[in-house]
Amino acid sequence: MNLNKLRDKAYQCAVAHGWHDENLSDEHFLCLVISELMEAVEADRKGKHANRVNFEYYMKQRKRDDEEFMYAFKHGIKDSVEDELSDACIRLLDLAGLRGYDLDSFDYEGSDTEDYSDMTFTESMFRICVYVTDNFYRDEPFILLNEIFAFCRDRNIDIFWHIKQKMKYNELRPYKHGDKSY
């Protein structure tokens, strides 16, 4: 996976949708990452997981237009654990694009990450949130991507597939998603 391509795509989409009309701090963006992780906790509490099988079945029945993609996404993926984890990654990718970080210089596959297998979902999200604050002050906020990827590998979540779907969904959304201020 070429993380710099994902970074550029996330950043370009955010610019096109008005999310960089004003200069905001890294703390602002990282707080929004934490909010996505907490939305993942809420989705987990509700037992809401993406239904990839149904989504892919629907999408493969015939050539689907953008409106049909949006329908399938909203009914099979939106607001699920996987969707919220994708949002957290996309926010980090966007921030990396905004700040010009080279993500290909990081070794995501070979990096030393937490072992999430013995943690509950909420404990895992807490640990990942700790990485947000600890690594921000060490000028390494993007190490957080390692942790989200490691968590997803441990839970057999194909995070890159979910990021791809969410990016397409975001591209189809209206400017500032209709009514959000940030």
Side-chain angles (χ1 to χ4, degrees), residues 8-178:
D8 294 346
K9 188 172 183 177
Y11 175 67
Q12 291 164 1
C13 183
V15 168
H17 284 82
W19 300 119
H20 294 301
D21 288 350
E22 60 182 289
N23 188 18
L24 300 167
S25 68
D26 289 354
E27 291 91 342
H28 171 89
F29 291 105
L30 292 170
C31 187
L32 294 176
V33 170
I34 292 171
S35 76
E36 299 296 353
L37 296 172
M38 293 305 96
E39 288 177 11
V41 170
E42 287 303 309
D44 184 64
R45 291 178 71 201
K46 295 175 183 176
K48 188 154 181 168
H49 289 273
N51 191 334
R52 181 175 174 173
V53 171
N54 284 359
F55 175 85
E56 288 181 325
Y57 177 79
Y58 175 81
M59 292 303 294
K60 290 179 181 176
Q61 291 306 301
R62 63 181 172 81
K63 183 161 174 54
R64 301 285 183 180
D65 62 21
D66 290 344
E67 189 174 308
E68 290 170 312
F69 171 85
M70 295 291 279
Y71 173 85
F73 188 91
K74 287 177 183 176
H75 289 88
I77 299 172
K78 184 86 174 97
D79 299 327
S80 66
V81 167
E82 298 82 357
D83 182 42
E84 302 303 347
L85 291 173
S86 296
D87 281 339
C89 292
I90 291 167
R91 288 193 179 278
L92 285 165
L93 292 165
D94 171 40
L95 178 58
L98 177 66
R99 301 296 184 235
Y101 280 95
D102 178 11
L103 296 179
D104 286 340
S105 66
F106 294 104
D107 181 12
Y108 290 96
E109 295 298 322
S111 67
D112 183 29
T113 58
E114 290 285 336
D115 179 8
Y116 293 101
S117 60
D118 292 331
M119 294 182 204
T120 65
F121 188 90
T122 52
E123 290 168 338
S124 298
M125 293 302 103
F126 174 79
R127 174 58 53 200
I128 292 171
C129 286
V130 167
Y131 274 93
V132 172
T133 56
D134 283 357
N135 290 297
F136 173 74
Y137 292 107
R138 289 192 296 168
D139 199 29
E140 298 175 357
F142 303 104
I143 201 123
L144 175 57
L145 280 170
N146 283 354
E147 296 306 316
I148 297 172
F149 295 162
F151 172 81
C152 290
R153 275 192 308 268
D154 182 70
R155 296 305 200 294
N156 294 315
I157 297 170
D158 184 353
I159 193 64
F160 292 108
W161 182 88
H162 286 281
I163 290 170
K164 179 181 175 188
Q165 304 314 311
K166 186 59 180 248
M167 284 183 160
K168 180 174 181 178
Y169 177 79
N170 286 344
E171 288 170 0
L172 296 171
R173 294 174 84 178
Y175 186 81
K176 288 209 172 179
H177 302 174

